[in-house]
Amino acid sequence: MAATELRGVVGPGPAMGAAPGGGGSGPTAAGGGGRGDSGPGPGVVPGPAVAASGGGPGPGPGPAATAGGGSAAGPAPAPPTGGSGGGAGGSGSGSAREGWLFKWTNYIKGYQRRWFVLSNGLLSYYRSKAEMRHTCRGTINLATANITVEDSCNFIISNGGAQTYHLKASSEVERQRWVTALELAKAKAVKMLAESDESGDEESVSQTDKTELQNTLRTLSSKVEDLSTCNDLIAKHGTALQRSLSELESLKLPAESNEKIKQVNERATLFRITSNAMINACRDFLMLAQTHSKKWQKSLQYERDQRIRLEETLEQLAKQHNHLERAFRGATVLPANAPGSAGSVKDQICSGKADVSDEDDDNEFFDAPEIIAMPESLGHKRTGSNISGASSDISLDEQYKHQLEETKKEKRTRIPYKPNYSLNLWSIMKNCIGKELSKIPMPVNFNEPLSMLQRLTEDLEYHELLDRAAKCEDSLEQLCYVAAFTVSSYSTTVFRTSKPFNPLLGETFELDRLEENGYRSLCEQVSHHPPAAAHHAESKNGWTLRQEIKITSKFRGKYLSIMPLGSIHCIFHATGHHYTWKKVTTTVHNIIVGKLWIDQSGEIDIVNHKTGDKCNLKFVPYSYFSRDVARKVTGEVTDPSGKVHFALLGTWDEKMDYFQVIPSNGDNGGDGRQRSHELEESRVTLWKRNPLPKNAENMYYFSELALTLNAWESGTAPTDSRLRPDQRLMENGRWDEANAEKQRLEEKQRLSRKKREAEAVKASEDGTPYDPYKALWFERKKDPVTKELTHIYRGGYWESKEKQDWSSCPDIF
């Protein structure tokens, strides 16, 4: 299926999603260009430069029109041979017409060559034909557009001022072909719009809606009749009152009494007039409701139909997009009985992926079932019977034992390759817009075979930065290394577009690297709603790291925002320096269509609570219009007086450097510092990202540390994430079984929560004390530095491990 058909199913407006390099918003007003055509447009829209045709095959370089007496914009670019190109329909593409046209962008760039596609009453454009598969620069709905011919090659499409395209064809013949195709498409779109309006007639309205509306009208009519009866009574009694007052006036009474009677008579008259007006207004309202009821029914039904059509269109778009990707990567699909050893299979996979390695993180989701042979056993040898998703002759226990034997020898460097399982993404995500994703059950197809506790432990990937910081005598230099450690924790996320498993309440994860790296770490899930995890790591090299992180996330349709809440603490034993900071927001873009990509944005303030030193880090969000390097991070290290001593510069996915800032003569430490004195020779590289393991794209883009986190280890607590069965099944490629096991664990957790709630209610009724859930290895108390309520490690875990006494651990798996 051609890419144009994929884009053709989109409704009015640009296609959803844009990979990095395709950002921006919808098309702008005339002269300003579209999404991809940036730059300042003219203040008053004077129309683009018009080139003289000269009667030749293409426009000559005529002079440009000017705005408000300004300078000429320069000669309009002449298109190459066959500039407009394109044809009608063309090989079943599903579009009425497509080809090259020149589009006016602004007075700096003039006309720019763009690829236009006319389909389903919509005219869309792209920077190139290849860009159709991921980024639409702008779309205009022809049903409400006006098409105007300017001269032999130029024409204008406008929909009333919101969007205006000034276009130029390569010749008069080509222009006429486009104008004819556009007029036909417009007529068809207008007809479809009229038919859509008529389709909302009473026949399309459900019987329930009609009955409900009729009941409402009957009730309104009844109320108006009641008001009319009251009006008649008011009129009758008002007339009697006026007659009585007139009789009083005819009597010989004092002048003062006559004046009072006259005032009462006037007020009675006003009251009767007002009541009549009220009744007439109610009667008019009822007539209006009866007159417009059909129109309201049509509008309501039209909105319902539009919603259904939009959902179907997006689902079809996601399906077709995945079909195209699968066809593009067809060389990577191997038969289950492929001959050769594990080494030869690996070579085949690598050769098939070589040309499209930058597209590999797209291939999580497909819409039709397809079983692809993937290595499942921990030995990574593929045979004809070892197919992902099929039953294996090796039980999980035997695989664990086999992996344990390998772990005793050395840390593992690979895991079973990620299978190409099928999933209709939109069918799941369309009901999640605006919701908290931690409360929505998701299949393991979205996940990576690690839990959130293990992802939190990955912050220690570059623990040597804290080792070096502990040796620093200068607190400001130490702060530079702490800042580099903070940035390094995001480097593992750049390609990790799958979500980790949500830990179960009471789940733990330990990482004992005391012998190899001098530290050991413990995480525990201390709360389920909201999800919160506590982490404590200590090193014999002189530092302690602790944190409690609550993860909140929102799905916004085109992107997913992940907001970590909570403070991170780092304490150095020798000096007593205590640093705290918070994490920035992570955003996953192009959730539905396009290449998934991740960005970090926000600011981090790292504070030394002992000395008052501070470091401000700025994570610059990606912008299509920015010339800065992508994923840029800048920072300043200041003393308590605000004087800058070090400047930090780098990216959160590659490296961080720092410069020593030397103040200029006469500088008092304020804003008068001169950045030109940041000497190049003072540049020091604080941190540089380690390269990913070989074939990381087939192993969820795990780092060397991440590959070892789920390896089986003896002696861990029964609540350890390594023992979680659904996560283990997923890692081994048995995703159907993993989904079933995940549902079992979640149901078990729900039953445990309901039991605790019932016990709390019973204790409240009986008047007996009830202890709410408490974490096993962490204690919730006020932090002495930040004064926040947080979970701090209470001790005892490593002692229990040494004794192998896990009697206090709950049964969660």
Side-chain angles (χ1 to χ4, degrees):
M1 185 175 293
T4 51
E5 186 172 352
L6 170 66
R7 292 293 172 187
V9 298
V10 185
M16 292 181 66
S25 60
T28 63
R35 215 173 110 184
D37 301 326
S38 61
V44 179
V45 182
V50 179
S53 67
T66 59
S71 59
T81 305
S84 241
S91 65
S93 66
S95 61
R97 186 171 183 80
E98 59 182 42
W100 292 105
L101 288 171
F102 286 89
K103 179 181 179 296
W104 173 264
T105 57
N106 53 54
Y107 282 100
I108 298 175
K109 296 183 178 180
Y111 281 97
Q112 295 292 318
R113 193 166 178 255
R114 297 288 182 259
W115 181 262
F116 279 81
V117 175
L118 174 60
S119 178
N120 294 341
L122 303 172
L123 180 65
S124 307
Y125 75 95
Y126 312 84
R127 285 193 174 180
S128 64
K129 189 174 182 179
E131 198 181 55
M132 291 171 62
R133 57 187 298 273
H134 59 80
T135 305
C136 177
R137 300 287 167 176
T139 301
I140 192 167
N141 189 349
L142 297 177
T144 57
N146 294 319
I147 304 167
T148 308
V149 176
E150 280 197 326
D151 58 16
S152 58
C153 296
N154 294 62
F155 59 100
I156 300 172
I157 303 175
S158 174
N159 63 354
Q163 292 172 283
T164 302
Y165 293 171
H166 293 267
L167 305 176
K168 180 191 295 183
S170 61
S171 66
E172 186 173 358
V173 174
E174 194 63 38
R175 185 220 63 190
Q176 190 57 44
R177 288 174 180 169
W178 271 103
V179 171
T180 302
L182 290 167
E183 293 287 1
L184 290 173
K186 177 184 176 180
K188 186 176 180 181
V190 171
K191 183 179 179 183
M192 290 176 62
L193 188 63
E195 290 175 353
S196 176
D197 290 340
E198 292 173 2
S199 66
D201 212 316
E202 286 188 356
E203 293 83 15
S204 63
V205 181
S206 66
Q207 188 64 34
T208 304
D209 291 339
K210 287 196 292 186
T211 303
E212 183 180 353
L213 193 60
Q214 289 170 357
N215 290 336
T216 303
L217 289 173
R218 274 197 295 269
T219 304
L220 286 172
S221 180
S222 172
K223 296 299 179 184
V224 170
E225 287 178 2
D226 293 343
L227 286 171
S228 182
T229 302
C230 293
N231 181 60
D232 293 340
L233 291 173
I234 290 172
K236 178 180 177 182
H237 294 302
T239 303
L241 178 61
Q242 283 184 321
R243 186 167 54 250
S244 300
L245 290 171
S246 299
E247 291 174 354
L248 284 173
E249 287 180 352
S250 63
L251 297 176
K252 293 182 180 180
L253 294 174
E256 184 178 351
S257 299
N258 287 332
E259 188 67 27
K260 291 290 184 183
I261 292 171
K262 188 179 293 184
Q263 291 178 1
V264 173
N265 196 0
E266 290 175 354
R267 289 175 183 175
T269 303
L270 287 173
F271 178 74
R272 188 175 62 179
I273 294 171
T274 304
S275 64
N276 285 335
M278 181 187 69
I279 297 300
N280 291 334
C282 292
R283 187 175 288 109
D284 292 342
F285 170 76
L286 180 61
M287 292 178 63
L288 191 67
Q290 291 172 336
T291 304
H292 291 277
S293 63
K294 182 183 293 187
K295 183 178 178 181
W296 293 340
Q297 288 175 341
K298 288 168 61 177
S299 299
L300 179 63
Q301 188 62 29
Y302 176 76
E303 292 299 328
R304 287 174 177 169
D305 293 343
Q306 284 290 87
R307 177 183 174 182
I308 294 172
R309 277 197 292 269
L310 180 60
E311 289 183 356
E312 292 174 349
T313 298
L314 286 174
E315 187 169 358
Q316 184 181 4
L317 179 62
K319 287 181 180 181
Q320 293 181 352
H321 179 81
N322 289 324
H323 275 305
L324 288 173
E325 287 182 342
R326 183 165 52 190
F328 180 66
R329 282 190 292 271
T332 64
V333 180
L334 300 178
N337 58 353
S341 63
S344 63
V345 171
K346 182 180 70 175
D347 294 339
Q348 293 174 25
I349 293 175
C350 292
S351 63
K353 292 275 186 180
D355 295 333
V356 291
S357 60
D358 61 332
E359 299 284 333
D360 285 337
D361 56 344
D362 281 16
N363 61 2
E364 287 101 353
F365 311 115
F366 293 89
D367 58 320
E370 180 173 323
I371 297 178
I372 299 177
M374 300 299 291
E376 177 182 303
S377 68
L378 297 168
H380 304 282
K381 292 182 180 179
R382 189 196 300 260
T383 64
S385 62
N386 187 16
I387 298 177
S388 171
S391 61
S392 174
D393 295 334
I394 305 175
S395 67
L396 282 177
D397 291 338
E398 290 172 344
Q399 291 179 7
Y400 294 166
K401 292 176 183 177
H402 176 65
Q403 188 175 7
L404 177 58
E405 292 173 0
E406 286 187 348
T407 306
K408 289 179 180 177
K409 299 174 185 177
E410 59 181 9
K411 302 300 178 187
R412 69 177 183 178
T413 58
R414 57 189 300 181
I415 60 174
Y417 283 176
K418 177 181 179 178
N420 246 346
Y421 266 111
S422 308
L423 180 67
N424 187 339
L425 175 62
W426 176 246
S427 64
I428 297 172
M429 299 301 289
K430 67 182 180 181
N431 295 320
C432 304
I433 297 176
K435 296 182 180 178
E436 169 62 54
L437 290 189
S438 64
K439 299 181 180 179
I440 299 170
M442 295 283 184
V444 300
N445 307 55
F446 285 89
N447 291 22
E448 61 183 16
L450 289 178
S451 76
M452 190 61 206
L453 303 180
Q454 292 164 315
R455 282 291 289 267
L456 207 57
T457 306
E458 283 190 68
D459 285 358
L460 300 171
E461 174 100 22
Y462 299 95
H463 61 89
E464 63 272 8
L465 290 170
L466 296 181
D467 295 341
R468 288 154 63 186
K471 297 176 183 178
C472 290
E473 297 180 359
D474 182 9
S475 63
L476 293 168
E477 185 180 2
Q478 185 182 70
L479 183 50
C480 291
Y481 281 101
V482 174
F485 173 78
T486 302
V487 175
S488 71
S489 64
Y490 295 98
S491 63
T492 60
T493 66
V494 63
F495 299 118
R496 303 272 289 277
T497 54
S498 300
K499 67 180 288 290
F501 279 79
N502 291 330
L504 302 172
L505 186 62
E507 186 175 334
T508 60
F509 179 74
E510 67 157 78
L511 186 66
D512 191 348
R513 294 285 190 268
L514 207 57
E515 294 182 4
E516 303 98 316
N517 306 117
Y519 73 88
R520 59 187 181 183
S521 162
L522 175 67
C523 290
E524 181 180 1
Q525 186 76 359
V526 296
S527 172
H528 185 58
H529 283 311
H535 179 210
H536 180 89
E538 54 190 14
S539 171
K540 62 183 181 183
N541 295 322
W543 54 266
T544 297
L545 185 77
R546 61 180 174 85
Q547 57 183 316
E548 179 182 348
I549 298 296
K550 299 179 180 68
I551 299 293
T552 62
S553 56
K554 290 289 184 180
F555 176 52
R556 302 297 185 184
K558 296 171 81 171
Y559 62 91
L560 170 67
S561 295
I562 302 166
M563 293 80 71
L565 307 175
S567 299
I568 305 172
H569 299 252
C570 183
I571 304 102
F572 292 97
H573 305 160
T575 59
H577 291 163
H578 189 140
Y579 298 90
T580 63
W581 65 91
K582 297 179 183 291
K583 289 180 175 287
V584 294
T585 298
T586 300
T587 307
V588 185
H589 294 270
N590 293 351
I591 294 292
I592 302 300
V593 177
K595 182 181 174 68
L596 291 170
W597 59 282
I598 290 178
D599 196 20
Q600 315 286 349
S601 59
E603 294 190 18
I604 295 178
D605 287 317
I606 308 173
V607 181
N608 185 336
H609 291 274
K610 183 178 180 181
T611 65
D613 301 334
K614 293 183 180 180
C615 175
N616 175 257
L617 292 173
K618 294 182 180 179
F619 288 68
V620 181
Y622 174 81
S623 173
Y624 177 74
F625 303 103
S626 174
R627 294 185 178 182
D628 278 338
V629 63
R631 309 181 184 99
K632 182 179 178 181
V633 180
T634 61
E636 291 181 342
V637 176
T638 59
D639 62 18
S641 67
K643 180 180 178 181
V644 178
H645 291 263
F646 295 98
L648 289 81
L649 181 64
T651 60
W652 54 263
D653 66 323
E654 285 295 335
K655 67 172 186 174
M656 286 296 293
D657 299 334
Y658 78 82
F659 302 84
Q660 188 171 3
V661 178
I662 301 175
S664 60
N665 293 333
D667 185 17
N668 295 323
D671 294 334
R673 61 183 182 274
Q674 296 182 6
R675 294 308 180 89
S676 59
H677 290 79
E678 295 171 11
L679 303 177
E680 182 64 28
E681 53 265 27
S682 70
R683 181 173 187 147
V684 176
T685 297
L686 293 167
W687 159 76
K688 191 173 183 180
R689 181 172 66 92
N690 297 328
L692 288 173
K694 188 177 181 181
N695 297 324
E697 67 275 9
N698 300 324
M699 299 183 291
Y700 308 89
Y701 286 96
F702 281 178
S703 63
E704 290 184 357
L705 174 64
L707 288 173
T708 67
L709 292 180
N710 208 42
W712 178 271
E713 290 186 13
S714 62
T716 61
T719 54
D720 196 271
S721 298
R722 299 176 181 89
L723 303 176
R724 182 164 173 165
D726 54 347
Q727 188 172 305
R728 181 67 60 184
L729 287 165
M730 185 203 171
E731 182 182 270
N732 291 325
R734 296 158 67 174
W735 285 15
D736 291 338
E737 297 172 61
N739 275 317
E741 191 65 22
K742 183 172 182 288
Q743 291 181 7
R744 183 189 69 81
L745 291 174
E746 289 171 348
E747 182 60 28
K748 184 176 181 178
Q749 182 170 238
R750 278 191 288 270
L751 292 175
S752 298
R753 186 184 73 248
K754 289 178 180 178
K755 183 180 178 182
R756 288 194 301 271
E757 291 172 351
E759 290 174 353
V761 171
K762 187 175 185 302
S764 176
E765 292 173 350
D766 297 343
T768 58
Y770 173 76
D771 291 332
Y773 177 83
K774 292 181 180 178
L776 186 57
W777 309 110
F778 289 81
E779 182 180 5
R780 191 167 189 261
K781 55 185 179 181
K782 182 179 289 188
D783 186 270
V785 175
T786 62
K787 308 304 180 185
E788 299 173 344
L789 278 175
T790 185
H791 282 82
I792 299 176
Y793 179 58
R794 71 172 77 203
Y797 179 87
W798 304 107
E799 293 78 7
S800 296
K801 182 180 179 181
E802 187 176 352
K803 299 175 185 177
Q804 283 299 293
D805 179 13
W806 304 115
S807 57
S808 58
C809 292
D811 175 22
I812 60 174
F813 299 141

